Amino acid sequence: MEFKGNNEDWILSDVHPQIITTENTNICHVFRHDTKEGIANAHLIAAAPELLEALQIAKKALDVELKKGGILSITNGEYNTIDQAINKALN
């Protein structure tokens, strides 16, 4: 599956409490932007596309090693967590 959302870089606007793209497209409004928690949430949302891409790359590398019969230091539960996070982002 492929991400069907906006493929531009997402950033936290320094003018308005919102996540925007580098082309100034509004992604979402940030509530509670005046709190540490709100700012932390905003940074996580802004990083979401890169985090998804990194997780997909890691899963591909794990899948290659598993197909080769390699021994991995990851449990089935951890692997399933990766898979579930990717599916959550793409569905």
Side-chain angles (χ1 to χ4, degrees):
M1 282 187 274
E2 186 177 315
F3 179 61
K4 294 180 177 78
N6 189 300
N7 287 321
E8 299 166 19
D9 289 335
W10 295 8
I11 56 174
L12 177 57
S13 171
D14 55 0
V15 178
H16 301 288
Q18 61 190 14
I19 305 299
I20 58 172
T21 68
T22 51
E23 298 298 318
N24 213 27
T25 302
N26 187 30
I27 298 295
C28 70
H29 183 79
V30 179
F31 293 95
R32 299 182 59 208
H33 60 12
D34 54 349
T35 67
K36 281 185 177 182
E37 181 181 2
I39 294 297
N41 290 340
H43 283 285
L44 180 60
I45 293 166
E50 290 91 351
L51 293 170
L52 173 60
E53 181 180 11
L55 203 51
Q56 289 172 314
I57 290 167
K59 184 176 181 294
K60 254 186 216 177
L62 288 170
D63 289 343
V64 167
E65 285 303 311
L66 287 171
K67 282 183 183 174
K68 290 195 297 190
I71 298 172
L72 303 175
S73 299
I74 186 170
T75 66
N76 285 341
E78 291 166 337
Y79 183 86
N80 289 338
T81 298
I82 292 169
D83 204 38
Q84 289 168 358
I86 291 170
N87 287 331
K88 183 177 182 178
L90 297 179
N91 288 320

